[in-house]
Amino acid sequence: MNLHEHQAKTLFKSYDLPTSNFFVANTVEEAKELAKKLNVSKWVVKAQVHAGGRGKAGGVEVVQSLDDVEIFAKKWLGKNLVTYQTDKNGQPVNSILIEEYTEILSELYLGLVVDRSTRSIVVMVSPEGGVNIEEVAENNPEKIFKASVKIEEEASDDDAKRLAQGLNLNSEQTKQFIDIFKNLSKLFIEKDLALVEINPLVIDDKNKLKCLDGKVSVDSNALFRHEELMTLRDTSQEEQRELEASKWDLNYVSLEGEIGCMVNGAGLAMGTMDIIKLAGGFPANFLDVGGGVNEKSVSEAFKIILSDQKVKAILINIFGGIVKCDVVAEGIISAVKEVGVDIPVIVRLKGNNANIAQEILTESDLNIIFESDLSIAAKKAVELSK
Amino acid sequence: MSILIGNDTIAICQGFTGSQATLHCKQAIEYGTNLVGGVTPGKAGERHLDRPVFGDVKSAVEKTKANTSIIFVPAKFCKDSINEALDAGIKLIIVITEGIPTLDMLILKIKADELGSMIIGPNCPGLITPGVCKLGIMPADIHKKGKVGIVSRSGTLTYEAVDQTSQIGLGQSSCVGIGGDPIPGSSFIDILKLFELDDQTEGIVMVGEIGGTAEEEAAEFIKSDISKPVVAYIAGVSAPAGKRMGHAGAIISGGKGTANEKFLALENAGVFTVKSPALIGKTISDLLNFKK
């Protein structure tokens, strides 16, 4: 689960990490009022969306009058911000962050992530902040410094000092960095985070470190023990079909193609997408109905796939294990009867009760094409989608 | 022979009396698995599936000499359950549960390594040695005793590989689902090692997916340590970056973990890759027949 920048910064503050003074506004009036309350003459105003690349897209500005704060708020509140990380519709801007302007001497990078290959939490810093860190890793790997943090031990001063050296910090800043390093590690572990990025971490004109941006992602599997974080979910930032699917315990991801897919199991769902691609088509979605599939969830899955106007054919691929194929077949039939389908539906059922399922589908008068060979089923779906 | 589970397995189930556990333990017992009892806190002394229920793993181990546990406990209690199994000296812990917090697995993995215990999963279909022992949620009837070892991050893709290798007449030595989470208890390498040493296993099928670098690490290992033919399929060539594809671990992040990178690493290591999961059975069959 991703957090907004202002939510991340509120978390940072509660762990004594240095941030600017800021407010969050949901209306134009509020924006003006809160900007005034900051009692400064120069502000940074930032559109709050779950996507990077806001600056280049016009979603971040430095303004020097309350009128300009108002203009920015009017420009973005209630609108969508399109960045290189969003789709073509962009993400809705429902709030803006207003903070005091910071004079920047240099921009650094600080990030924490669970590293899968070393099975540890890795802290990563670079003196090359403010830019895409993946590019730095690619082009100047020597400018990235790493340390790992153990969950059941306090983060070490020595590691922090080593990273501070890599960042070329002076002795005062190094002291400050040790605190940041320890507090951020503590935050990461205590709140079950999956990712933190502070890009940039800056040195300001008082020669102090400050977290100027904040990207935080929480491990969704751990939300059960963090009630305080659960309320921070902003469903307006989620793709609407994906959101609807999540209500029915369906794993759905919207894609760009024309063939709707319904599959049981995440791996087989990806495999089905791959086979569609090999057959010359492109999937409109990833959809794993899971092991607990029943008539109702099949029907809901169907409706979600059909709500996507791009879909020209549907490929259903079920390998019955725990899932009984005849139950799925009944689900398909009732869904088709209920919502009506005027595009081709190709069904491949294998495993548990596949024969019974085939009989049920053949006997129904519905326009369903049964194909037991997965490659051929995909080919048919691609042909019929054209 | 086989790997991990077989005639020496003495298994218990944690979360024994729950509905999923009941369903799959019943099937396991019918399959011939030596499942000797289970654990459900607060139900010590009762009987379930004609077997004793214990209140904790320690007393179950004392009474039954169990060496293996299969866990169906809900995600939020799993850390405690796995800890309990480790503390009781269980050497093989199979975790079916999906949704365990990543940081819990980081701690448990370190502890398991220190104790010399093996965790399979979480978020996996479990293990089967066809004809001998089944500890998992896979459909038994598609399996056939035979010569292919299968290791996979995905449940249903394992079933595809199993079905194809059964249909073509090869059968399986053992099938291991290592699970779709970012921090699995066991890696491809852990399982490949065992297949290499297993006499019954003549060829290996490896099914990976996008996310992380486990397949690349496995490729290095295969190059140096595996003499048996390996066929690999990686799911998710068509998956977009930055989107989690169902499994917690199936995500391309920071441009890393793409299927193409993994295919390339495996091909460079001499692994026979297939771009369609429908070709797994035929490819391993051709390889094994060619070898003769």
Side-chain angles (χ1 to χ4, degrees):
Chain A
M1 183 185 82
N2 294 326
L3 301 189
H4 282 296
E5 177 192 358
H6 71 85
Q7 296 167 332
K9 283 183 169 170
T10 305
L11 265 185
F12 291 172
K13 277 196 172 199
S14 68
Y15 277 79
D16 292 328
L17 296 164
T19 58
S20 303
N21 290 320
F22 69 89
F23 287 114
V24 185
N26 300 307
T27 65
V28 177
E29 294 70 38
E30 233 177 18
K32 230 175 141 177
E33 214 172 279
L34 294 171
K36 202 169 166 189
K37 218 167 149 186
L38 276 172
N39 201 20
V40 291
S41 56
K42 208 170 177 185
W43 299 263
V44 181
V45 280
K46 306 173 96 173
Q48 298 296 287
V49 293
H50 287 182
R54 293 176 299 167
K56 279 183 189 133
V60 178
E61 272 181 39
V62 176
V63 291
Q64 305 204 47
S65 73
L66 289 173
D67 285 344
D68 284 347
V69 171
E70 187 177 350
I71 291 170
F72 181 87
K74 272 187 181 155
K75 182 178 167 193
W76 285 117
L77 282 171
K79 308 279 174 17
N80 278 19
L81 179 67
V82 181
T83 81
Y84 77 95
Q85 280 189 3
T86 68
D87 63 16
K88 61 180 190 302
N89 300 317
Q91 297 289 96
V93 182
N94 297 319
S95 60
I96 55 174
L97 181 147
I98 306 158
E99 67 179 20
E100 55 180 336
Y101 174 77
T102 300
E103 198 70 57
I104 299 168
L105 296 185
S106 70
E107 295 186 303
L108 317 169
Y109 173 91
L110 169 60
L112 273 83
V113 68
V114 174
D115 184 62
R116 293 162 65 160
S117 61
T118 59
R119 292 180 173 128
S120 61
I121 299 167
V122 169
V123 183
M124 216 165 38
V125 298
S126 173
E128 304 272 302
V131 293
N132 188 340
I133 195 66
E134 278 109 38
E135 279 168 30
V136 181
E138 189 73 33
N139 303 325
N140 303 89
E142 76 285 356
K143 288 196 170 157
I144 290 187
F145 302 88
K146 292 179 183 178
S148 62
V149 174
K150 294 209 168 62
I151 296 178
E152 282 162 328
E153 293 169 26
E154 206 194 359
S156 97
D157 279 24
D158 290 345
D159 281 335
K161 282 180 194 157
R162 186 168 52 79
L163 295 185
Q165 247 171 26
L167 292 171
N168 308 314
L169 301 182
N170 67 29
S171 65
E172 268 308 301
Q173 292 158 353
T174 299
K175 268 188 208 153
Q176 214 196 341
F177 183 78
I178 294 172
D179 287 339
I180 293 175
F181 178 83
K182 286 184 164 179
N183 290 337
L184 196 59
S185 302
K186 196 164 167 245
L187 164 67
F188 193 94
I189 295 163
E190 285 182 354
K191 299 292 180 189
D192 273 295
L193 304 186
L195 171 99
V196 175
E197 264 191 328
I198 299 170
N199 192 18
L201 170 75
V202 301
I203 298 172
D204 67 11
D205 55 354
K206 296 177 194 75
N207 264 304
K208 289 231 154 106
L209 293 168
K210 201 189 239 186
C211 307
L212 222 54
D213 198 355
K215 183 179 171 188
V216 167
S217 180
V218 186
D219 178 2
S220 305
N221 286 343
L223 282 174
F224 68 83
R225 59 188 175 205
H226 299 290
E227 254 176 66
E228 76 287 1
L229 297 178
M230 243 185 258
T231 54
L232 300 183
R233 180 173 174 190
D234 180 359
T235 52
S236 78
Q237 300 296 314
E238 296 172 29
E239 209 268 345
Q240 290 311 295
R241 274 192 292 272
E242 291 174 17
L243 182 62
E244 182 62 26
S246 71
K247 290 180 193 160
W248 298 96
D249 279 333
L250 303 164
N251 270 312
Y252 176 95
V253 176
S254 191
L255 302 169
E256 297 297 315
E258 63 289 333
I259 297 170
C261 307
M262 180 154 92
V263 189
N264 67 325
L268 190 57
M270 275 188 276
T272 306
M273 288 162 47
D274 294 348
I275 287 188
I276 289 171
K277 210 179 166 196
L278 281 174
F282 205 81
N285 65 276
F286 164 95
L287 174 58
D288 166 19
V289 294
V293 62
N294 54 39
E295 215 177 294
K296 184 71 189 156
S297 58
V298 168
S299 165
E300 291 304 323
F302 230 90
K303 286 183 206 166
I304 291 165
I305 293 172
L306 286 171
S307 70
D308 182 351
Q309 300 299 318
K310 302 189 305 289
V311 172
K312 299 283 183 288
I314 296 176
L315 176 59
I316 298 174
N317 182 18
I318 305 288
F319 201 115
I322 320 166
V323 178
K324 289 195 178 97
C325 288
D326 54 324
V327 173
V328 178
E330 298 283 9
I332 295 166
I333 290 170
S334 83
V336 171
K337 277 183 182 159
E338 191 192 338
V339 298
V341 181
D342 52 6
I343 53 175
V345 178
I346 298 93
V347 181
R348 185 250 187 176
L349 298 169
K350 193 101 178 146
N352 199 351
N353 286 354
N355 293 339
I356 305 172
Q358 183 165 11
E359 272 171 37
I360 295 170
L361 287 174
T362 319
E363 279 167 21
S364 77
D365 294 332
L366 300 166
N367 184 22
I368 292 172
I369 299 157
F370 192 88
E371 175 54 60
S372 61
D373 183 293
L374 181 51
S375 305
I376 299 173
K379 266 182 206 136
K380 282 189 181 167
V382 173
E383 276 163 25
L384 292 167
S385 71
K386 285 184 175 148
Chain B
M1 273 275 285
S2 58
I3 69 163
L4 294 166
I5 57 171
N7 289 322
D8 302 334
T9 298
I10 306 168
I12 54 164
C13 170
Q14 289 173 258
F16 192 33
T17 53
S19 65
Q20 284 296 309
T22 302
L23 172 73
H24 296 293
C25 286
K26 194 163 172 274
Q27 288 182 11
I29 292 165
E30 282 164 6
Y31 199 73
T33 306
N34 188 21
L35 192 120
V36 294
V39 176
T40 300
K43 293 197 175 174
E46 292 182 16
R47 285 188 77 78
H48 185 64
L49 301 178
D50 200 25
R51 276 150 178 82
V53 181
F54 299 91
D56 56 77
V57 182
K58 192 163 170 275
S59 41
V61 170
E62 276 165 9
K63 283 275 173 356
T64 64
K65 305 278 176 271
N67 52 22
T68 302
S69 177
I70 181 165
I71 298 183
F72 284 94
V73 169
K76 61 169 90 170
F77 307 118
C78 251
K79 184 183 176 189
D80 290 343
S81 296
I82 297 170
N83 260 322
E84 211 191 315
L86 288 169
D87 291 338
I90 298 272
K91 289 298 162 197
L92 178 64
I93 302 165
I94 303 158
V95 190
I96 306 299
T97 309
E98 179 176 1
I100 299 178
T102 304
L103 297 189
D104 288 358
M105 276 313 297
L106 278 183
I107 296 174
L108 291 164
K109 172 66 187 153
I110 292 166
K111 182 167 173 176
D113 286 350
E114 282 168 5
L115 293 171
S117 290
M118 197 164 188
I119 300 172
I120 302 284
N123 190 11
C124 80
L127 297 174
I128 185 167
T129 292
V132 182
C133 189
K134 169 177 166 6
L135 284 169
I137 59 173
M138 65 291 284
D141 58 351
I142 57 171
H143 296 79
K144 185 178 168 205
K145 189 172 184 170
K147 50 181 110 168
V148 179
I150 299 177
V151 55
S152 168
R153 276 170 72 185
S154 145
T156 39
L157 277 174
T158 312
Y159 308 162
E160 282 288 345
V162 166
D163 189 50
Q164 290 171 30
T165 47
S166 289
Q167 295 292 330
I168 216 156
L170 294 172
Q172 306 84 35
S173 52
S174 294
C175 308
V176 183
I178 56 172
D181 274 6
I183 306 291
S186 299
S187 66
F188 281 117
I189 295 176
D190 296 327
I191 308 304
L192 288 167
K193 255 182 220 169
L194 300 174
F195 279 136
E196 176 71 11
L197 295 171
D198 175 44
D199 291 341
Q200 192 186 328
T201 304
E202 292 179 23
I204 302 167
V205 168
M206 174 181 150
V207 180
E209 62 189 27
I210 56 162
T213 51
E215 291 80 1
E216 284 89 333
E217 288 148 24
E220 284 298 311
F221 181 77
I222 291 168
K223 202 172 177 179
S224 57
D225 287 81
I226 302 290
S227 64
K228 297 177 182 177
V230 182
V231 170
Y233 166 67
I234 307 296
V237 165
S238 51
K243 287 279 191 180
R244 205 170 291 281
M245 308 303 276
H247 285 157
I251 179 165
I252 300 167
S253 51
K256 291 282 169 201
T258 65
N260 284 330
E261 283 173 326
K262 294 172 188 296
F263 271 124
L264 190 66
L266 288 161
E267 281 155 15
N268 287 340
V271 172
F272 296 83
T273 62
V274 290
K275 298 285 148 64
S276 160
L279 297 175
I280 294 170
K282 191 183 175 307
T283 309
I284 187 78
S285 171
D286 288 351
L287 270 172
L288 291 178
N289 289 329
F290 178 73
K291 225 180 108 193
K292 282 173 191 163

